[in-house]
Amino acid sequence: MLLSSVRTAIFCGCRNAGKGFQPSSRSPQLRQWLVKRGQSTITVEAGASPAPAAVTVPSAATNRILGRWLLGCSGLVVGAVVLGGVTRLTESGLSMVDWHLVREMKPPQTQAEWEAEFAKYQQFPEFKIMNHDMTLPEFKFIFYMEWGHRMWGRLVGLAYVLPTIYFWRKGYFTRSMKGKVLGLCGFVFFQGLLGWYMVKSGLEEKPESHDIPRVSQYRLSAHLGSALLLYCASLWTGLTLLRPAHKLAETKSLMQLRRFAKGTGGLVFLTALSGAFVAGLDAGLVYNSFPKMGERWVPDDLLAFSPALKNFFENPTTVQFDHRILAMSSLTAITGLYLFSRRMVLPRRAKMAISLLAAMAYAQVALGISTLLLYVPTPLAATHQSGSVALLSLAIWVLAELRKMPK
């Protein structure tokens, strides 16, 4: 009897071993132990052969990094605009008669190199007509002004391009953001080429002209306008990445305020661009009185050129008159925007932006009038040009605060 029982037990055990080990539903503790054992085995194997690192996904943290980067780039663009204005006011822009991307990054070092550079400058109209009695130390001053402006432009380019490559490889950009940063980088290169195209216009011989050598006001306006567009695009993108849109009720008054703010921003941009024509023609040196131009509200030589359209771009009197009209129109529009916004319930940041815009508008008009009455002193004129960028910045901030929530 005992031998039969042992034989039966051995036979059943061998049969189960041949089928393989299969945990039954009647042993839950055993199943849990196997699951834990399997998870620990997978963990050990993963640790032995690590998988490649995952690509960073754009997030709120990466957006903050990108926003601060773009705000920094926009600040560098402001520096380039201001330095370019001072370079023009000191009549230094035509001192470097060559353009080389890398070679000119090192200024002349020895006396012989300086004399060679000065000799090249002497072959062009500005020296022959205006600066024929200029000394080498005086040339060094205007050379360094233009050299500093060009080197600052290269710094701006590096500030856009190098971080773009780094952030792209890190995976910080969304698909739409990739298009934006590529556009910004392309615009920086275009801006540099446009700057040299502008300088070339002042180096050309013009036997038919008896005016002092200067760059084309058309090219100067294009150069400044493209810089302002680059600045506005960088500032807007940076602000929208850093500042989430307010949850505002889409009322009729808000939509009117938003349209009003867009129109006002466009008017501020147009006024700043008209200032480039004033600078290019030295139109600030005619009719240095305010509010009248001389003894009249409308000067006699307003339409002296033929055809009439030519006056708006080449007649210094008309160019100054237009700039005055645009400036006062901008002031009126900003004042109206401020008064209209006071009747509405807006977030604190939006109210602050509109209030600062209104205050800056009055300060900018005061700077412009002072610059005119004092016959365009360089420090005051440079401050007035910087004020136009500050006013444009505040207009962009207002638009960013009033923008719609993304769907």
Side-chain angles (χ1 to χ4, degrees):
M1 181 70 179
L2 178 61
L3 184 59
S4 176
S5 300
V6 170
R7 187 185 298 113
T8 302
I10 293 173
F11 175 75
C12 292
C14 291
R15 185 176 61 183
N16 290 337
K19 291 181 178 179
F21 186 76
Q22 297 179 356
S24 66
S25 60
R26 290 175 295 178
S27 56
Q29 294 84 0
L30 183 61
R31 183 184 296 108
Q32 293 176 2
W33 179 82
L34 287 171
V35 171
K36 291 180 180 179
R37 181 63 181 269
Q39 290 175 346
S40 63
T41 303
I42 293 172
T43 304
V44 171
E45 291 177 357
S49 56
V55 178
T56 305
V57 178
S59 62
T62 59
N63 283 345
R64 283 195 298 271
I65 294 172
L66 296 178
R68 290 167 183 165
W69 163 56
L70 288 174
L71 288 186
C73 288
S74 63
L76 289 175
V77 175
V78 171
V81 171
V82 173
L83 187 55
V86 175
T87 301
R88 189 202 60 78
L89 288 167
T90 55
E91 298 180 343
S92 306
L94 300 178
S95 58
M96 295 181 69
V97 297
D98 295 321
W99 189 87
H100 302 285
L101 184 60
V102 178
R103 194 193 312 170
E104 71 181 21
M105 294 179 68
K106 182 181 178 182
Q109 302 295 312
T110 65
Q111 182 70 15
E113 290 177 350
W114 275 113
E115 290 177 354
E117 196 69 37
F118 191 28
K120 287 193 292 185
Y121 173 70
Q122 292 172 350
Q123 299 173 13
F124 289 88
E126 185 176 70
F127 176 83
K128 295 177 181 178
I129 298 174
M130 286 180 55
N131 298 333
H132 49 82
D133 56 348
M134 175 177 279
T135 62
L136 183 59
E138 292 172 335
F139 171 72
K140 287 183 178 181
F141 171 78
I142 64 172
F143 183 92
Y144 273 124
M145 288 296 302
E146 174 65 9
W147 179 83
H149 181 51
R150 294 192 188 188
M151 292 307 102
W152 192 279
R154 285 162 174 75
L155 176 63
V156 172
L158 293 176
Y160 276 95
V161 174
L162 295 182
T164 294
I165 297 172
Y166 174 77
F167 293 141
W168 195 297
R169 297 188 64 181
K170 294 285 287 185
Y172 283 16
F173 296 139
T174 61
R175 178 177 294 182
S176 63
M177 193 64 189
K178 287 180 179 179
K180 293 176 182 178
V181 296
L182 285 177
L184 292 174
C185 291
F187 215 76
V188 171
F189 285 108
F190 170 75
Q191 174 70 2
L193 294 174
L194 190 58
W196 172 240
Y197 181 64
M198 175 193 71
V199 170
K200 282 186 65 178
S201 66
L203 299 175
E204 298 169 353
E205 296 279 356
K206 300 174 183 177
E208 73 283 354
S209 175
H210 301 285
D211 200 359
I212 62 174
R214 57 163 65 97
V215 299
S216 165
Q217 69 271 23
Y218 297 102
R219 299 185 192 184
L220 176 62
S221 301
H223 187 52
L224 176 61
S226 62
L228 293 179
L229 285 175
L230 176 65
Y231 172 69
C232 291
S234 303
L235 181 62
W236 170 266
T237 308
L239 287 176
T240 53
L241 287 171
L242 286 173
R243 298 290 187 182
H246 296 291
K247 296 180 180 179
L248 301 173
E250 291 294 321
T251 62
K252 183 179 179 181
S253 297
L254 178 61
M255 290 188 288
Q256 290 175 341
L257 180 66
R258 192 178 285 138
R259 287 195 296 267
F260 197 176
K262 289 178 181 178
T264 301
L267 191 57
V268 170
F269 182 88
L270 187 60
T271 305
L273 194 60
S274 74
F277 281 93
V278 174
L281 292 171
D282 288 330
L285 298 175
V286 298
Y287 292 105
N288 296 93
S289 58
F290 190 86
K292 291 183 178 181
M293 298 181 71
E295 299 297 325
R296 295 175 175 271
W297 290 100
V298 179
D300 293 334
D301 56 342
L302 189 67
L303 298 175
F305 291 9
S306 182
L309 184 62
K310 191 177 181 181
N311 290 277
F312 294 93
F313 305 103
E314 300 183 16
N315 186 341
T317 299
T318 312
V319 166
Q320 189 195 120
F321 182 81
D322 292 343
H323 189 61
R324 291 186 183 212
I325 297 298
L326 287 169
M328 300 312 297
S329 299
S330 297
L331 181 65
T332 303
I334 292 172
T335 304
L337 180 71
Y338 173 79
L339 295 175
F340 186 71
S341 68
R342 303 306 293 178
R343 302 184 300 171
M344 302 174 58
V345 178
L346 295 173
R348 185 178 65 87
R349 282 207 320 260
K351 286 186 175 181
M352 182 186 303
I354 295 173
S355 298
L356 289 175
L357 176 66
M360 187 64 220
Y362 282 90
Q364 177 66 355
V365 168
L367 280 171
I369 295 172
S370 301
T371 303
L372 182 69
L373 297 179
L374 296 175
Y375 290 84
V376 197
T378 298
L380 199 55
T383 305
H384 180 55
Q385 181 172 335
S386 303
S388 67
V389 181
L391 192 65
L392 187 59
S393 305
L394 291 169
I396 296 295
W397 183 23
V398 170
L399 291 173
E401 294 295 341
L402 296 178
R403 72 185 190 277
K404 292 182 180 180
M405 285 285 294
K407 296 181 179 180

